[in-house]
Amino acid sequence: MKNGKITIHDISKALGIDSSTVSRALNDSPRVSKKTKEIILNKAKEVGYQRNSLASNLRTNKTHTIAVVLPRVSRYFFATVIAGIEETAYEAGYNVIICQSLDNLNREKKIISTLISNRVDGIIMSISMETTNYEHLQAYKKLGKPIVFFDRPCSLNNCSNININNFQSSFNATKHLILKGCKHIAYFSGSLDIELYRQRKNGYIAALNEHNIKVNEHYIFESNLSEEDGIKSAKKILQLKSIDGLYSSNDTAAISAMQYLKSKNIRIPEDIAVVGFNNDPISAIIEPSLTTINQPAFKIGKIASNLLVDQIENKTTNIKEQSKLLNSELIIRNSSKKV
Amino acid sequence: MKNGKITIHDISKALGIDSSTVSRALNDSPRVSKKTKEIILNKAKEVGYQRNSLASNLRTNKTHTIAVVLPRVSRYFFATVIAGIEETAYEAGYNVIICQSLDNLNREKKIISTLISNRVDGIIMSISMETTNYEHLQAYKKLGKPIVFFDRPCSLNNCSNININNFQSSFNATKHLILKGCKHIAYFSGSLDIELYRQRKNGYIAALNEHNIKVNEHYIFESNLSEEDGIKSAKKILQLKSIDGLYSSNDTAAISAMQYLKSKNIRIPEDIAVVGFNNDPISAIIEPSLTTINQPAFKIGKIASNLLVDQIENKTTNIKEQSKLLNSELIIRNSSKKV
DNA sequence: CTGTTAGCGCCTTCAT
DNA sequence: ATGAAGGCGCTAACAG
């Protein structure tokens, strides 16, 4: 009992029961009689015993800890993913530690190195923007421990990736407007040089096609989706007049457009403007007339956590089962092999 | 070299040098010759050695890890505090793990229990709203390890507390307006049943007094600082007419007030409306005419981290030194004793 | 400067 | 159902 810390040996001595039995009792092993278990547990509580996980982890080579590595927690999307991860992980008996790369590769490398040293059982991560090679991640995988990637894809061997299904989510958002009666739907898109925005555009077009609404290229506003872009687009919308619905890839542009329209005393009926991928409740407060269709962040967290825990424990995940949760909002590539 | 993991013994055998020397070399001990150190380090790199911190921590009873326990990371204030903590902690060679209590006492208790088991070297925390007794924290303190509290005060023995200096910050904000030429300054206050808002009100009054501006109780709008309250207050401001400046305890009410005034085509000159304690950049985007005076969150993180590390390493912190950083924005109560 | 030895606290065969 | 013994990987005292 050095340093005021109580060990299983202290309990062992106090009770005249061998420390191995104490250990078994504290781990609720079936190989200890109910009576002795009770005695030991009571004593443990009485003396304020707290397991030394360092020793336990060293011995078992398991830490019951998973790490989440992502650019920064202050982005609402990431914070929400974390919430989803924690909920699932805690249920499965895992601790979660959160590490911010700040989109800096060196920092990310250092984090991974620390995670290796600390032998976390698995990693859920969204790689930094600077990450183009995966040597540091490979080093972790070599320990035989799994990594699940989300949001930003990573082609590292034998890893799962979870991504938003841009096509389907965009389709859902557009369809929502069509079902509300909109026929002339403006679409705020990011640069169509970017794959992600092409996928979303395709979802928008597919929904129109499905309802026999002909696509009008003038309704598609390609921009950087900044505040100013929102205002510019709003002005164009006013000129076009016929437009009766708005679907935006992003909340910033949509909010400024809506506020501009309001400042011109244009009445905006409920539900005729939607954002496809927003997760930030602040936007909803600023501009309540905006409806958000897909809220994938929390689900991403839950699924990432499920996948990872299953891989840690060498189970196979039933992807179909997971998909039920999803309504096709997400795409899961599970290239991990059972060991 | 079981499980593909390389230990100091593998290096030891490969080189015919004792493992204790290898250990010393890897820790850059001065008691190893430069040559052998080099040989060992090279070999370590060659075979991809990664220290097993679990073993090291067990042996040394130090984890070089500090934990941050707070309600939730998604609040910008807390995210900013974390940024400050991480910056300082990493410089001092500590890892940071982040734990969210979600303002739930049971969760907080479980977190502390895990932190005890994992023997983190110190804790920086903002207690949950449900936390009224401190037994679980006491259990951690018994290990002889320090806790530093911030934002929400905690009277646990021998702990440091870091809080916003409400009086001084409020004084600063009000003074800012006075120096801008405002004579009739409205003040949006939260419920004056709450100590914190009384302190802020006193700061406001003190600044007026200092400049011989007489306090007009009609200029003080006590409310819950909600959006609706902001609009109500804005209407009253319009009636009063004379008001030429606004100081708000909180951004929500201030934003809605400013937006209401704008909607009535009231021109709002720059810098005549300020928020005392806002840290959220979103507010600045929504309502650029609002100026923010005090930005204490990052500083709180840095100072908390400094204090904690000093306590872990048994140094005394020079509080005066810290205060230079602060401009009296914060109050530090350092009741921790050196051991 | 390097090697020997022991032990951090726990878990897990193996034996009884 | 319980006890005895060894070792996870590392480091720190003590020798030399």
Side-chain angles (χ1 to χ4, degrees):
Chain A
M1 214 195 109
K2 289 183 187 172
N3 296 327
K5 284 113 197 167
I6 292 129
T7 75
I8 52 171
H9 295 105
D10 299 316
I11 297 177
S12 163
K13 274 177 214 156
L15 296 174
I17 300 174
D18 193 83
S19 60
S20 58
T21 305
V22 175
S23 171
R24 281 191 275 259
L26 292 170
N27 288 309
D28 201 23
S29 156
R31 288 174 49 199
V32 183
S33 74
K34 260 198 172 171
K35 271 184 205 166
T36 34
K37 216 181 259 186
E38 208 168 295
I39 295 168
I40 291 169
L41 259 38
N42 283 337
K43 193 72 188 174
K45 194 166 284 178
E46 182 196 323
V47 297
Y49 170 80
Q50 296 258 185
R51 155 196 267 109
N52 184 334
S53 297
L54 300 178
S56 168
N57 294 343
L58 173 61
R59 183 62 232 259
T60 58
N61 202 28
K62 272 219 69 184
T63 54
H64 290 281
T65 299
I66 66 182
V68 185
V69 182
L70 37 68
R72 41 180 15 114
V73 296
S74 59
R75 285 192 209 141
Y76 195 79
F77 173 77
F78 289 125
T80 309
V81 173
I82 291 171
I85 291 170
E86 289 197 330
E87 187 176 292
T88 312
Y90 286 159
E91 276 169 22
Y94 285 82
N95 298 314
V96 176
I97 72 176
I98 298 159
C99 308
Q100 305 189 74
S101 68
L102 306 180
D103 269 321
N104 174 329
L105 178 56
N106 279 331
R107 230 183 116 103
E108 185 178 281
K109 280 184 180 168
K110 199 171 167 250
I111 288 169
I112 299 295
S113 171
T114 307
L115 295 178
I116 292 175
S117 287
N118 285 294
R119 302 291 195 267
V120 297
D121 293 338
I123 297 178
I124 296 174
M125 98 181 268
S126 185
I127 57 178
S128 92
M129 287 196 305
E130 296 177 4
T131 304
T132 50
N133 87 52
Y134 306 142
E135 274 174 44
H136 54 307
L137 306 177
Q138 196 73 59
Y140 180 79
K141 284 288 288 181
K142 266 191 193 150
L143 297 176
K145 302 187 173 185
I147 310 181
V148 168
F149 296 96
F150 72 94
D151 197 43
R152 302 188 186 162
C154 175
S155 60
L156 192 65
N157 280 341
N158 292 341
C159 290
S160 304
N161 274 264
I162 301 172
N163 294 98
I164 292 176
N165 185 339
N166 287 300
F167 177 90
Q168 185 66 43
S169 300
S170 212
F171 183 92
N172 295 347
T174 311
K175 185 161 181 171
H176 168 91
L177 289 172
I178 296 171
L179 296 180
K180 284 279 162 190
C182 302
K183 302 262 183 226
H184 303 275
I185 300 169
Y187 171 46
F188 287 3
S189 170
S191 165
L192 291 168
D193 292 338
I194 297 173
E195 172 68 10
L196 171 162
Y197 288 113
R198 284 201 297 276
Q199 293 168 343
R200 292 186 184 178
K201 181 183 164 188
N202 290 338
Y204 160 80
I205 291 173
L208 296 180
N209 285 340
E210 197 193 69
H211 292 81
N212 301 312
I213 298 174
K214 89 164 186 268
V215 177
N216 184 335
E217 285 290 338
H218 293 100
Y219 292 176
I220 298 173
F221 300 91
E222 187 182 347
S223 78
N224 292 321
L225 298 170
S226 68
E227 279 193 282
E228 305 87 66
D229 292 329
I231 292 167
K232 271 189 216 161
S233 304
K235 286 179 184 167
K236 285 189 207 153
I237 286 176
L238 286 179
Q239 286 166 9
L240 288 171
K241 300 216 162 158
S242 58
I243 282 176
D244 57 6
L246 166 65
Y247 159 44
S248 177
S249 254
N250 153 294
D251 49 343
T252 307
I255 289 169
S256 66
M258 298 301 274
Q259 297 204 331
Y260 180 81
L261 293 176
K262 266 193 197 163
S263 77
K264 298 289 166 195
N265 278 317
I266 312 249
R267 183 189 58 86
I268 297 150
E270 220 178 285
D271 272 3
I272 70 108
V274 304
V275 175
F277 302 92
N278 160 51
N279 282 284
D280 193 335
I282 304 249
S283 303
I285 294 168
I286 304 168
E287 200 37 70
S289 60
L290 275 177
T291 302
T292 298
I293 297 301
N294 304 294
Q295 296 282 12
F298 194 79
K299 293 176 200 161
I300 289 176
K302 293 202 67 137
I303 289 159
S305 202
N306 278 332
L307 281 177
L308 190 75
V309 168
D310 286 351
Q311 287 172 33
I312 290 170
E313 297 177 353
N314 267 313
K315 298 183 207 157
T316 28
T317 308
N318 188 337
I319 301 280
K320 291 243 172 83
E321 187 75 24
Q322 299 288 328
S323 295
K324 284 185 201 160
L325 290 167
L326 304 183
N327 195 24
S328 305
E329 261 177 53
L330 305 183
I331 296 175
I332 305 174
R333 283 189 300 111
N334 191 355
S335 55
S336 90
K337 288 177 204 153
K338 280 220 297 182
V339 189
Chain B
M1 210 196 108
K2 289 183 186 171
N3 296 327
K5 283 116 199 167
I6 292 129
T7 74
I8 52 172
H9 295 106
D10 299 316
I11 298 176
S12 162
K13 274 177 214 157
L15 296 174
I17 299 174
D18 192 82
S19 59
S20 58
T21 305
V22 175
S23 171
R24 281 191 276 259
L26 291 169
N27 287 310
D28 200 25
S29 155
R31 290 173 47 197
V32 183
S33 75
K34 261 199 172 171
K35 271 184 202 165
T36 35
K37 216 181 257 185
E38 209 169 292
I39 295 169
I40 291 169
L41 260 38
N42 284 337
K43 193 71 187 176
K45 195 168 283 179
E46 182 196 324
V47 296
Y49 170 81
Q50 297 259 182
R51 152 195 270 111
N52 185 333
S53 297
L54 300 178
S56 170
N57 294 344
L58 174 61
R59 186 59 236 258
T60 58
N61 202 28
K62 272 219 69 184
T63 55
H64 290 280
T65 300
I66 66 182
V68 185
V69 182
L70 37 68
R72 41 181 14 115
V73 296
S74 58
R75 286 193 210 140
Y76 195 79
F77 172 77
F78 288 125
T80 310
V81 173
I82 291 172
I85 291 170
E86 289 196 331
E87 188 176 291
T88 312
Y90 287 158
E91 275 169 23
Y94 286 82
N95 297 314
V96 176
I97 72 175
I98 298 158
C99 308
Q100 306 188 74
S101 68
L102 307 179
D103 270 320
N104 173 329
L105 178 57
N106 279 332
R107 230 183 117 103
E108 185 178 281
K109 281 184 180 169
K110 196 165 170 259
I111 288 169
I112 299 295
S113 170
T114 307
L115 295 178
I116 292 175
S117 286
N118 285 292
R119 303 291 195 265
V120 298
D121 293 337
I123 296 177
I124 295 174
M125 99 181 269
S126 185
I127 57 178
S128 92
M129 287 196 304
E130 297 176 3
T131 305
T132 49
N133 86 53
Y134 306 141
E135 276 174 42
H136 53 310
L137 306 177
Q138 195 71 60
Y140 180 78
K141 284 287 289 181
K142 268 193 193 150
L143 297 176
K145 302 188 171 184
I147 311 180
V148 169
F149 297 96
F150 72 95
D151 198 42
R152 301 187 186 162
C154 176
S155 60
L156 192 65
N157 279 343
N158 291 343
C159 291
S160 304
N161 273 262
I162 302 172
N163 295 97
I164 292 175
N165 185 339
N166 288 300
F167 177 91
Q168 185 67 43
S169 301
S170 213
F171 183 93
N172 296 348
T174 310
K175 184 161 181 171
H176 168 90
L177 289 172
I178 296 171
L179 295 179
K180 284 279 163 190
C182 301
K183 303 265 183 223
H184 303 274
I185 300 169
Y187 171 46
F188 287 5
S189 169
S191 165
L192 291 169
D193 292 339
I194 296 172
E195 172 68 10
L196 172 162
Y197 288 114
R198 283 200 298 276
Q199 293 168 343
R200 291 186 185 179
K201 182 183 164 190
N202 290 339
Y204 161 80
I205 291 173
L208 296 179
N209 285 341
E210 195 193 69
H211 292 80
N212 301 313
I213 297 174
K214 86 163 188 268
V215 177
N216 184 335
E217 285 290 338
H218 293 99
Y219 292 176
I220 299 174
F221 300 89
E222 185 181 349
S223 77
N224 291 320
L225 299 170
S226 68
E227 278 192 282
E228 304 87 65
D229 291 329
I231 292 167
K232 271 188 217 160
S233 304
K235 287 180 183 165
K236 284 189 208 154
I237 286 176
L238 286 179
Q239 284 166 12
L240 288 172
K241 299 215 163 156
S242 58
I243 282 177
D244 57 7
L246 167 65
Y247 158 46
S248 177
S249 253
N250 153 294
D251 49 342
T252 308
I255 289 169
S256 67
M258 298 301 274
Q259 297 204 332
Y260 179 82
L261 293 175
K262 268 193 196 163
S263 78
K264 297 290 165 194
N265 278 318
I266 313 247
R267 182 189 59 86
I268 296 150
E270 219 176 286
D271 271 3
I272 71 107
V274 304
V275 175
F277 302 91
N278 160 51
N279 282 283
D280 193 335
I282 305 249
S283 303
I285 294 168
I286 305 167
E287 200 37 72
S289 60
L290 274 178
T291 303
T292 297
I293 297 302
N294 304 294
Q295 296 282 13
F298 194 79
K299 293 175 202 164
I300 288 176
K302 293 202 68 138
I303 288 160
S305 203
N306 279 332
L307 280 178
L308 190 75
V309 168
D310 285 352
Q311 286 173 33
I312 290 170
E313 298 177 353
N314 268 313
K315 299 181 206 157
T316 27
T317 308
N318 188 337
I319 300 281
K320 291 242 172 84
E321 187 75 24
Q322 299 287 327
S323 296
K324 282 187 201 159
L325 292 166
L326 305 182
N327 194 23
S328 305
E329 261 178 53
L330 305 183
I331 296 176
I332 305 173
R333 283 189 299 111
N334 192 355
S335 54
S336 91
K337 288 177 204 154
K338 280 219 298 181
V339 188

